[in-house]
Amino acid sequence: MTARREATRRRLFEAAVTLISEHGYGATTVSQIAERAGVAKGTVYYNFSGKTELYTALMEWGVSRLAEHMRAPVSGPPSTALAEVLRAELAFIGTHEALARLLVTETWQTGQAWHATVQQIRNEAIGVISGLLDDLVARGELPEDLDTGVAGSALFGMVLTVALDWRTLQPERPLEEIHATVRALLAGFLAAHR
């Protein structure tokens, strides 16, 4: 894909995120997305067959960006890396609030189109957390019978909820203050399972 086409798709994604998070998927039209992105309606159809394909690609793009952001700090002992991954999730949501809201409100719908996105979140984003929990199990720091998939989902969901609460109700609080509380909760989780 050319850099120009990639830039156009990104503008379409950003416009769609804003509109869908404000009005919902059903109330957002292709014309509105094109207008917000500053392109002709035909440009949307040149890049995607319609709103459903655009939305599916948007969700894939958003989840991939989140997962990349979460994978970036993975270094050091697994417990330290896990705390940094949760910080990265907080930071991403703080920066990409509309996308996070979209993931929460639209992704968990029923239907085949949304199922793929939920699976991608589990495999890519939650998978970063679950992988570190697997490492802690392998090192004997967590019990062998711990369901790391469920535990990874719980930690991911906790941070997602905390981040949205932070950005909605306490946006003046610094990221590090919020992360300190998440770190304390993580330490309690790890200590309770040793």
Side-chain angles (χ1 to χ4, degrees):
M1 183 176 310
T2 67
R4 182 175 179 201
R5 185 162 185 211
E6 185 61 35
T8 299
R9 288 171 63 97
R10 183 183 175 102
R11 285 198 345 251
L12 290 170
F13 290 153
E14 290 169 354
V17 163
T18 301
L19 289 166
I20 294 170
S21 68
E22 289 173 0
H23 307 291
Y25 176 80
T28 301
T29 66
V30 169
S31 296
Q32 291 169 325
I33 293 169
E35 183 179 331
R36 178 70 61 100
V39 299
K41 186 175 177 181
T43 301
V44 176
Y45 290 108
Y46 176 75
N47 286 278
F48 306 99
S49 64
K51 186 170 79 168
T52 300
E53 185 181 325
L54 171 100
Y55 185 76
T56 300
L58 164 65
M59 290 290 94
E60 290 172 3
W61 173 77
V63 172
S64 292
R65 289 183 69 204
L66 171 61
E68 287 169 18
H69 199 76
M70 290 173 67
R71 278 192 296 272
V74 177
S75 64
S79 57
T80 302
L82 188 54
E84 289 307 308
V85 164
L86 298 182
R87 182 191 183 288
E89 182 184 351
L90 272 172
F92 183 88
I93 294 167
T95 305
H96 305 283
E97 199 173 324
L99 178 60
R101 290 183 189 287
L102 188 59
L103 289 170
V104 170
T105 59
E106 297 290 337
T107 301
W108 305 102
Q109 303 288 333
T110 58
Q112 193 61 33
W114 315 139
H115 179 78
T117 301
V118 172
Q119 191 64 46
Q120 184 187 7
I121 290 169
R122 182 176 246 291
N123 293 342
E124 292 186 31
I126 296 171
V128 175
I129 297 168
S130 297
L132 289 167
L133 293 172
D134 288 337
D135 292 346
L136 288 165
V137 168
R139 293 168 62 121
E141 296 181 39
L142 289 174
E144 288 182 17
D145 64 345
L146 179 70
D147 185 334
T148 57
V150 171
S153 290
L155 290 171
F156 178 85
M158 173 190 72
V159 171
L160 179 62
T161 302
V162 166
L164 291 175
D165 177 85
W166 164 47
R167 299 308 305 150
T168 302
L169 302 174
Q170 307 171 63
E172 72 286 349
R173 291 182 69 188
L175 169 66
E176 293 312 321
E177 190 176 301
I178 304 301
H179 183 238
T181 301
V182 169
R183 258 193 344 263
L185 291 169
L186 176 62
F189 168 81
L190 295 174
H193 289 89
R194 287 195 172 140

